[in-house]
Short mmCIF file of all heavy atoms in Angstrom, two decimals:
data_model
loop_
_atom_site.label_atom_id
_atom_site.label_comp_id
_atom_site.label_asym_id
_atom_site.label_seq_id
_atom_site.Cartn_x
_atom_site.Cartn_y
_atom_site.Cartn_z
N GLY E 122 106.01 113.32 126.18
CA GLY E 122 107.00 114.22 126.76
C GLY E 122 106.98 115.62 126.18
O GLY E 122 107.90 116.40 126.42
N GLY E 123 105.96 115.95 125.39
CA GLY E 123 105.83 117.32 124.89
C GLY E 123 106.66 117.64 123.67
O GLY E 123 106.80 118.80 123.31
N GLY E 124 107.23 116.66 122.98
CA GLY E 124 108.00 116.90 121.76
C GLY E 124 107.09 117.22 120.60
O GLY E 124 105.89 117.44 120.76
N SER E 125 107.65 117.22 119.41
CA SER E 125 106.90 117.50 118.20
C SER E 125 105.85 116.42 117.96
O SER E 125 106.09 115.25 118.20
CB SER E 125 107.87 117.56 117.01
OG SER E 125 107.17 117.79 115.82
N SER E 126 104.68 116.82 117.48
CA SER E 126 103.65 115.85 117.12
C SER E 126 104.14 115.00 115.96
O SER E 126 105.02 115.41 115.21
CB SER E 126 102.37 116.57 116.74
OG SER E 126 101.88 117.29 117.84
N ILE E 127 103.55 113.80 115.80
CA ILE E 127 103.98 112.89 114.74
C ILE E 127 102.77 112.38 113.96
O ILE E 127 101.66 112.27 114.48
CB ILE E 127 104.77 111.69 115.30
CG1 ILE E 127 103.94 110.91 116.34
CG2 ILE E 127 106.10 112.11 115.86
CD1 ILE E 127 104.57 109.62 116.81
N LEU E 128 103.00 112.06 112.69
CA LEU E 128 102.00 111.41 111.84
C LEU E 128 102.48 109.99 111.61
O LEU E 128 103.60 109.77 111.14
CB LEU E 128 101.85 112.14 110.51
CG LEU E 128 100.77 111.59 109.59
CD1 LEU E 128 99.39 111.85 110.18
CD2 LEU E 128 100.87 112.22 108.22
N VAL E 129 101.64 109.00 111.97
CA VAL E 129 102.02 107.59 111.90
C VAL E 129 101.17 106.87 110.86
O VAL E 129 99.94 106.99 110.86
CB VAL E 129 101.84 106.89 113.27
CG1 VAL E 129 102.19 105.42 113.17
CG2 VAL E 129 102.69 107.58 114.32
N ASN E 130 101.83 106.14 109.98
CA ASN E 130 101.17 105.26 109.02
C ASN E 130 100.99 103.92 109.75
O ASN E 130 101.97 103.23 110.01
CB ASN E 130 102.03 105.11 107.77
CG ASN E 130 101.45 104.18 106.75
OD1 ASN E 130 100.82 103.18 107.08
ND2 ASN E 130 101.67 104.51 105.49
N CYS E 131 99.76 103.56 110.09
CA CYS E 131 99.52 102.35 110.88
C CYS E 131 99.80 101.07 110.12
O CYS E 131 99.97 100.02 110.73
CB CYS E 131 98.09 102.36 111.42
SG CYS E 131 97.77 103.69 112.57
N SER E 132 99.86 101.11 108.79
CA SER E 132 100.17 99.92 108.00
C SER E 132 101.67 99.62 108.02
O SER E 132 102.08 98.50 108.26
CB SER E 132 99.69 100.11 106.57
OG SER E 132 100.04 99.00 105.77
N SER E 133 102.48 100.64 107.76
CA SER E 133 103.93 100.44 107.68
C SER E 133 104.63 100.68 109.01
O SER E 133 105.76 100.24 109.20
CB SER E 133 104.53 101.38 106.63
OG SER E 133 104.44 102.72 107.08
N GLY E 134 103.99 101.41 109.91
CA GLY E 134 104.62 101.76 111.18
C GLY E 134 105.53 102.96 111.08
O GLY E 134 106.12 103.39 112.07
N GLU E 135 105.67 103.54 109.87
CA GLU E 135 106.53 104.71 109.71
C GLU E 135 105.91 105.92 110.39
O GLU E 135 104.70 106.12 110.33
CB GLU E 135 106.72 105.03 108.22
CG GLU E 135 107.54 104.00 107.49
CD GLU E 135 107.71 104.36 106.02
OE1 GLU E 135 107.52 105.53 105.64
OE2 GLU E 135 108.02 103.44 105.24
N SER E 136 106.75 106.71 111.05
CA SER E 136 106.27 107.94 111.69
C SER E 136 107.09 109.11 111.18
O SER E 136 108.28 108.97 110.89
CB SER E 136 106.36 107.84 113.20
OG SER E 136 107.70 107.71 113.61
N SER E 137 106.43 110.25 111.04
CA SER E 137 107.06 111.47 110.55
C SER E 137 106.74 112.61 111.50
O SER E 137 105.57 112.82 111.84
CB SER E 137 106.55 111.84 109.15
OG SER E 137 106.70 110.76 108.27
N PRO E 138 107.75 113.39 111.92
CA PRO E 138 107.47 114.49 112.85
C PRO E 138 106.84 115.69 112.14
O PRO E 138 106.99 115.87 110.94
CB PRO E 138 108.87 114.85 113.35
CG PRO E 138 109.78 114.50 112.23
CD PRO E 138 109.16 113.27 111.59
N LEU E 139 106.15 116.50 112.92
CA LEU E 139 105.65 117.78 112.44
C LEU E 139 106.73 118.80 112.70
O LEU E 139 107.23 118.91 113.82
CB LEU E 139 104.38 118.19 113.19
CG LEU E 139 103.06 117.85 112.53
CD1 LEU E 139 102.95 116.38 112.28
CD2 LEU E 139 101.91 118.35 113.34
N LEU E 140 107.08 119.54 111.67
CA LEU E 140 108.09 120.58 111.77
C LEU E 140 107.37 121.93 111.80
O LEU E 140 106.29 122.07 111.25
CB LEU E 140 109.05 120.50 110.58
CG LEU E 140 109.64 119.11 110.33
CD1 LEU E 140 110.42 119.09 109.02
CD2 LEU E 140 110.51 118.68 111.49
N GLY E 141 107.95 122.90 112.43
CA GLY E 141 107.31 124.22 112.48
C GLY E 141 106.59 124.43 113.79
O GLY E 141 106.82 123.73 114.77
N PRO E 142 105.64 125.38 113.81
CA PRO E 142 104.96 125.72 115.06
C PRO E 142 104.10 124.57 115.59
O PRO E 142 103.60 123.76 114.82
CB PRO E 142 104.08 126.93 114.69
CG PRO E 142 103.96 126.90 113.22
CD PRO E 142 105.17 126.18 112.68
N GLN E 143 103.99 124.50 116.92
CA GLN E 143 103.17 123.48 117.55
C GLN E 143 101.69 123.76 117.28
O GLN E 143 101.28 124.91 117.18
CB GLN E 143 103.40 123.44 119.05
CG GLN E 143 104.75 122.87 119.44
CD GLN E 143 104.86 121.40 119.06
OE1 GLN E 143 103.96 120.62 119.32
NE2 GLN E 143 105.97 121.02 118.46
N ILE E 144 100.90 122.71 117.18
CA ILE E 144 99.47 122.84 116.95
C ILE E 144 98.72 122.18 118.09
O ILE E 144 99.26 121.30 118.77
CB ILE E 144 99.06 122.21 115.60
CG1 ILE E 144 99.36 120.71 115.60
CG2 ILE E 144 99.73 122.91 114.44
CD1 ILE E 144 98.79 119.99 114.41
N GLN E 145 97.50 122.62 118.34
CA GLN E 145 96.67 122.01 119.36
C GLN E 145 95.89 120.84 118.81
O GLN E 145 95.92 119.75 119.32
CB GLN E 145 95.70 123.05 119.95
CG GLN E 145 96.40 124.12 120.75
CD GLN E 145 97.12 123.52 121.95
OE1 GLN E 145 96.58 122.70 122.67
NE2 GLN E 145 98.35 123.93 122.16
N ARG E 146 95.12 121.07 117.75
CA ARG E 146 94.32 120.03 117.12
C ARG E 146 94.13 120.42 115.67
O ARG E 146 93.77 121.54 115.37
CB ARG E 146 92.97 119.90 117.83
CG ARG E 146 92.18 118.69 117.38
CD ARG E 146 90.94 118.46 118.20
NE ARG E 146 91.16 117.97 119.54
CZ ARG E 146 91.39 116.70 119.85
NH1 ARG E 146 91.47 115.79 118.92
NH2 ARG E 146 91.55 116.33 121.09
N PRO E 147 94.36 119.49 114.74
CA PRO E 147 94.17 119.83 113.34
C PRO E 147 92.68 120.01 113.03
O PRO E 147 91.83 119.51 113.74
CB PRO E 147 94.73 118.62 112.59
CG PRO E 147 94.60 117.51 113.57
CD PRO E 147 94.76 118.11 114.94
N LEU E 148 92.41 120.73 111.96
CA LEU E 148 91.03 120.97 111.55
C LEU E 148 90.61 120.06 110.42
O LEU E 148 89.45 119.99 110.07
CB LEU E 148 90.86 122.44 111.13
CG LEU E 148 91.22 123.44 112.23
CD1 LEU E 148 91.14 124.85 111.71
CD2 LEU E 148 90.32 123.26 113.43
N GLY E 149 91.54 119.36 109.83
CA GLY E 149 91.24 118.41 108.77
C GLY E 149 92.51 117.70 108.38
O GLY E 149 93.54 118.33 108.18
N LEU E 150 92.48 116.38 108.32
CA LEU E 150 93.66 115.59 107.99
C LEU E 150 93.31 114.70 106.81
O LEU E 150 92.25 114.10 106.77
CB LEU E 150 94.04 114.72 109.20
CG LEU E 150 95.13 113.68 109.05
CD1 LEU E 150 96.48 114.34 108.78
CD2 LEU E 150 95.21 112.82 110.30
N TRP E 151 94.17 114.65 105.82
CA TRP E 151 94.02 113.73 104.71
C TRP E 151 95.39 113.15 104.42
O TRP E 151 96.37 113.56 105.04
CB TRP E 151 93.37 114.39 103.49
CG TRP E 151 94.11 115.57 102.94
CD1 TRP E 151 95.01 115.56 101.91
CD2 TRP E 151 94.04 116.93 103.37
NE1 TRP E 151 95.49 116.82 101.69
CE2 TRP E 151 94.91 117.69 102.57
CE3 TRP E 151 93.31 117.59 104.36
CZ2 TRP E 151 95.09 119.06 102.72
CZ3 TRP E 151 93.50 118.96 104.52
CH2 TRP E 151 94.36 119.67 103.70
N SER E 152 95.50 112.19 103.52
CA SER E 152 96.75 111.46 103.36
C SER E 152 97.91 112.30 102.84
O SER E 152 99.06 111.96 103.04
CB SER E 152 96.55 110.24 102.47
OG SER E 152 96.08 110.62 101.20
N GLN E 153 97.63 113.43 102.18
CA GLN E 153 98.71 114.27 101.66
C GLN E 153 98.94 115.55 102.47
O GLN E 153 99.78 116.35 102.12
CB GLN E 153 98.44 114.67 100.21
CG GLN E 153 98.57 113.53 99.22
CD GLN E 153 97.29 112.71 99.15
OE1 GLN E 153 96.20 113.22 99.33
NE2 GLN E 153 97.43 111.43 98.89
N GLY E 154 98.18 115.77 103.51
CA GLY E 154 98.37 116.98 104.29
C GLY E 154 97.25 117.20 105.28
O GLY E 154 96.40 116.35 105.49
N PHE E 155 97.27 118.37 105.91
CA PHE E 155 96.22 118.71 106.86
C PHE E 155 96.22 120.21 107.11
O PHE E 155 97.17 120.93 106.75
CB PHE E 155 96.38 117.94 108.18
CG PHE E 155 97.66 118.19 108.90
CD1 PHE E 155 97.77 119.17 109.88
CD2 PHE E 155 98.77 117.43 108.62
CE1 PHE E 155 98.95 119.38 110.55
CE2 PHE E 155 99.97 117.63 109.28
CZ PHE E 155 100.06 118.61 110.25
N LEU E 156 95.14 120.68 107.70
CA LEU E 156 95.00 122.07 108.11
C LEU E 156 95.11 122.12 109.63
O LEU E 156 94.59 121.24 110.32
CB LEU E 156 93.65 122.65 107.69
CG LEU E 156 93.37 122.70 106.19
CD1 LEU E 156 91.94 123.17 105.96
CD2 LEU E 156 94.35 123.61 105.48
N ALA E 157 95.77 123.15 110.16
CA ALA E 157 95.89 123.29 111.61
C ALA E 157 96.00 124.76 111.97
O ALA E 157 96.54 125.56 111.21
CB ALA E 157 97.11 122.54 112.12
N ARG E 158 95.49 125.08 113.15
CA ARG E 158 95.57 126.45 113.63
C ARG E 158 96.81 126.59 114.51
O ARG E 158 97.09 125.76 115.35
CB ARG E 158 94.32 126.83 114.42
CG ARG E 158 94.30 128.30 114.76
CD ARG E 158 93.06 128.80 115.46
NE ARG E 158 92.19 127.80 116.00
CZ ARG E 158 90.91 127.68 115.68
NH1 ARG E 158 90.37 128.49 114.81
NH2 ARG E 158 90.17 126.77 116.24
N SER E 159 97.56 127.64 114.27
CA SER E 159 98.71 127.98 115.09
C SER E 159 98.62 129.48 115.36
O SER E 159 98.60 130.27 114.42
CB SER E 159 100.01 127.65 114.36
OG SER E 159 101.11 128.05 115.14
#
Side-chain angles (χ1 to χ4, degrees):
S125 178
S126 297
I127 57 173
L128 183 68
V129 178
N130 178 324
C131 295
S132 177
S133 68
E135 292 180 19
S136 64
S137 306
L139 264 58
L140 309 172
Q143 289 294 314
I144 62 171
Q145 291 298 314
R146 189 172 287 279
L148 302 175
L150 173 66
W151 59 95
S152 59
Q153 290 83 31
F155 60 93
L156 298 175
R158 188 176 14 237
S159 177

